[in-house]
Structures are given as C-alpha cells and as structure tokens.
C-alpha cells in the first residue's frame, strides 16, 4: 500500500465518520461496511473483494444503532481494515472480517474523545460571543471540528494499519492455522449477530421466516434477484403513498423564500453532527442552520449574532424525522421579526425534539436502514455487486425525501406536520411487517454467506461456530437475568 493509498483511505474514513459534505446520507451509505469496504477495495485495486469483506462485517453489525451519543463499535473502520486485510493479506471475506473486528473498538476512541473535545469549540464560541465579537457560527460548528476530526481519523487509521502490518509475517508463517482460527471466529461473530437479531425482534414468526428463506437458498439455491424483486413489490405495496410536501404559503408578507429554506436545510444536513458534544449535542448545528435565515430577517450584525446564539443551546433529535421542528421554528422566528407573535421559539423547540428523537431513531435506524442494507448485503454475498447498490441508493433517496419534506412542511404547515409525521410512522405498515421481511432477507443473506466459496472441509467449523455462538449467547442472557 502506497502513501497515496493511505491518504485516500484516511479521507474516506473521515468522510464516512462525518456528516459533512454528504447531505447527511453518508451515515446511511459510506459509513456502512458494504459501501466503505467497496470504496477501500477501489483504492487498493479490488473493489468487489473489498465489498464482499465489508458485507460480512455488515452482517456482524446489522443491528447497529447509535442514539444520543451511544456507540458500541466502529463498523466503518472495521470494514476498511477487513477490505484491506482481504486484499493485502490474502484472507477470505469471513477471515478478514474476524481479523478486523477488534479494530472497531479502536474507532470508539474517535467518537468518545470527539464528544469531549468538541466542548472546546463550544467554549470558544461562547467566550467570543460574550466578548462582543459576533462570532461566525460556521467556524465553530463546521470548519474547526472537521479539521480536528480529519486529524483524529488519520491517526486512528494510521494506527490500525500499523498494527495490521505487524501481523503480516505471523500470518505468512502460520498461514493455515491462523486462517482456520480466523474463519471460525468470523462465523462465530456472524452467528452470534444473527441469533441476537432474531431474539431482539421478539417475534416468533421471525424465526419461521428466517428458517424458510434460509433453507430455500441452501436446498434449492434460489437466486437473490428473486428475493430482491419480491421485497421491492412487498415494500411498495406496504409503503405510505399519501405523504405530501406542501411548499406554498398563503402569507404574502414572508421574508423567507424557498431558496432560503433549502440553503438552511442544506447546512443542517451537512453539519448536524459536526460539532456534536456531550453538553450541547446538536445545539451548535441548529444555530448554524439558522444563520442565513437570521441574516435575511435582521440587518444589524448584533441582532443576527444574538438570534443565532439564542439557538445555540442544547438540542437533540433524529436529524431527518425531526426536520419539521426546524421548519416550524423558522416560521416562528420570521413571524416574531414581523412582530406577528410573541411565542417562545426556543421553548417550543425543546418540547418538540424529544418525541421526534425517539420515534425517528426507531424508524430510520431500526427499520429503514437494516431493511435496505440487508438487501444490499444479500445481493453482494450472491456476487451481484452492482445490484447491491440499488437498495442503498433507494435508502439514500428515502432519507433525503423524509428530511427535505419535513423541513418544508414544518415551515408551510406548522407543528401539525410533525404530529402528522409521528402518526404516519406509528401506523406504518412497513414498520409493522418489518420483523417478517427483515428476518427473511437475513435468512437469505446468511445462506448465501455459507454457500459462497465455502469449502466442504469448513462445514464442520461453520456448524461448531454456530453452536458455540448460540451457547455463548444463552449464557450471557442468563447472566443478565
């Protein structure tokens, strides 16, 4: 691997770890192992092997959810190392995934220390404001934290690749024994993940769905394209087709136009987690997204600075489902600037963010993302690498639509748009049928993982790993009771 390769991979990892310059969908695309593995492979000369290694990592992290600062492992760093190990060390995707798994804990350091260190930028912003300097919020929410994140990302990636290089000679010397161990460890991690997912679904029919589709692939070798088409038809039939986007206002005195709203939304989507910190979470990002709005509403720099600072307080919600809050707050601030109301926008913002946060995460992270990422993994493990991007593209488009429509409806319709969105999610038929659909897709993906390139001599190892993972899971569950 050349120095230029390392530079590109450090950029990739930084880009995936940040919401910047991806309209927020990087978390649902580039950060996911099936995509980051592909992109690492593209840099190192074998994109499809990298993607296959990333797909195995994705199965291990399939139930990954990050909410309110919680973080249980860095799936993107794991995928980057897995793809590199498969290409540079000659490991199979399963072996590479198990080899890379410990590196995921190294990535936690970025997340935890970033949440602490970002407090520095919050402090500096507050001191500049108190000193009457009218600080530029985009520096403290955007530029400075992103420079820090890139430096931290480069150090973590460099450390990971240095550690990986230490194993090069060991793997060559004890090649067969190490590969056997890595394979069993990989199948253990995959089996443990699948078992925990099925148990957490808390639906007895999910086991049946998983078993039927798993056996259909194992016995009849049914191609994944059929399942992809069937899933697309089912999801289309279940989807809510009454979602509307209102972008017309009856108030002719509005100072804010659609371009202003779009730019404000663009800032939020790119920087919602840029200066994520324990004390403010998304507070600075909310204020940052209001910058151009207040510049339009007020002429004096001091007024603009005061208005921005007013919204730099603590704020946290699901960044896509919660966008009606932003649109509605913009509407209230606009009316306040016209002396049309005296409503406390900050108070209303706090009241709305909680329900949007909990319900939003339970839909975008727990339902939509696993559903479409699992379809992508299923296609990838079947060797259909190009088709594997179709579910990911659809997921990205869905997230953008959810976010943008919420922003516009919040402004033009008001707080009712958030209530309407909450009711839509609560009554979503996709959400209701998620356990059956997802477990079926997981069954296909698991069977494909076993069938793809699995040597007969490794069947015993696979079964042993599956039994061991079930036993370990049972012991852990018993110990928590």
């Amino acid at each position: 691997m050349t120095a230029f390769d390392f530079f590109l991979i450090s950029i990739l990892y930084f880009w995936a770890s940040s919401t910047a310059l991806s309209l927020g969908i990087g978390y649902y695309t580039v950060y996911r192992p099936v995509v980051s593995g592909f992109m690492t492979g593209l840099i190192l000369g074998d994109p499809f092997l990298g993607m296959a290694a990333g797909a195995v990592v994705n199965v291990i992290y399939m139930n990954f959810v990050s909410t309110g600062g919680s973080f249980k492992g860095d799936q993107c760093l794991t995928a980057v190392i897995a793809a590199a190990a498969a290409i540079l060390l000659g490991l199979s995707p399963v072996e590479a995934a198990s080899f890379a798994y410990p590196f995921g804990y190294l990535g936690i350091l970025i997340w935890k220390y970033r949440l602490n260190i970002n407090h520095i930028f919050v402090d500096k912003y507050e001191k500049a404001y108190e000193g009457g300097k009218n600080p530029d919020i985009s520096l403290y929410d955007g530029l400075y934290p992103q420079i820090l994140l890139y430096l931290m990302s480069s150090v973590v990636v460099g450390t990971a690749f240095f550690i990986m290089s230490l194993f090069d000679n060991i793997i060559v010397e004890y090649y067969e024994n190490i590969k056997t161990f890595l394979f069993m460890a990989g199948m253990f991690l995959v089996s443990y993940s699948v078992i925990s997912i099925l148990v957490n679904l808390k639906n007895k029919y999910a086991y049946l769905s998983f078993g039927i589709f798993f056996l259909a692939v194992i016995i009849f070798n049914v191609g994944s394209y059929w399942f992809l088409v069937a899933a697309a038809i089912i999801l289309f039939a279940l989807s809510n087709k009454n979602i509307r986007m209102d972008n017309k206002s009856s108030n002719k005195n509005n100072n804010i136009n659609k371009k202003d709203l779009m730019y404000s939304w663009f800032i939020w989507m790119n920087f919602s987690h840029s200066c994520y910190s324990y004390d403010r979470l998304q507070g600075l990002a909310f204020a940052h997204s209001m910058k151009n709005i207040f510049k339009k509403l007020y002429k004096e720099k001091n007024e603009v600075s005061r208005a921005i600072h007013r919204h730099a307080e603590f704020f946290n919600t699901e960044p896509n489902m919660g966008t009606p809050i932003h649109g509605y707050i913009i509407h209230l601030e606009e009316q306040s600037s016209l002396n049309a109301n005296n409503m406390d926008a900050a108070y209303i913002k706090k009241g709305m963010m909680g329900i949007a946060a909990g319900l939003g995460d339970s839909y975008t992270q727990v339902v939509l993302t696993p559903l479409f990422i699992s379809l992508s993994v299923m296609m990838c493990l079947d060797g259909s690498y190009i088709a594997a991007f179709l579910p990911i593209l659809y997921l990205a488009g869905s997230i953008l639509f959810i976010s943008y429509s919420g922003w516009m409806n919040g402004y033009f319709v008001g707080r009712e748009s958030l209530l309407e969105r909450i009711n839509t999610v609560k009554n979503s038929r996709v959400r209701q049928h998620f356990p059956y659909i997802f477990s079926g897709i997981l069954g296909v993906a698991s069977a494909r993982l076993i069938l793809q390139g699995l040597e007969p001599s490794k069947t015993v190892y696979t079964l042993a790993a599956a039994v061991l993972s079930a036993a370990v899971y049972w012991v852990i569950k018993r110990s928590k009771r």
Side-chain angles (χ1 to χ4, degrees), residues 86-103:
I87 296 167
L88 301 177
L89 303 181
L91 301 177
S92 72
V94 173
E95 295 158 359
S98 64
F99 174 82
Y101 183 74
F103 291 94

Side-chain angles (χ1 to χ4, degrees), residues 106-125:
L106 181 62
I108 295 178
L109 295 175
I110 279 195
W111 186 249
K112 295 298 182 184
Y113 282 105
R114 177 185 172 195
L115 285 167
N116 282 303
I117 294 174
N118 279 342
H119 177 71
I120 296 172
F121 305 120
V122 176
D123 266 358
K124 287 188 175 296
Y125 168 74

Side-chain angles (χ1 to χ4, degrees), residues 286-317:
F286 192 102
H288 188 184
S289 70
M290 300 288 285
K291 177 182 174 180
N292 74 301
I293 299 296
F294 289 131
K295 280 188 172 182
K296 192 74 176 286
L297 296 179
Y298 303 107
K299 302 301 180 184
E300 298 294 327
K301 283 187 176 181
N302 287 341
E303 287 184 297
V304 173
S305 184
R306 262 197 311 273
I308 292 173
H309 183 263
R310 192 168 65 244
H311 284 286
E313 60 188 355
F314 176 88
F315 181 79
N316 191 52
T317 195

Side-chain angles (χ1 to χ4, degrees), residues 33-34 50-60 62 376-377 380-381:
V34 69
M51 192 176 195
V56 178
V57 173
N58 230 136
V59 176
I60 297 171
M62 192 63 78
S376 177
V377 168
C380 180
L381 294 175

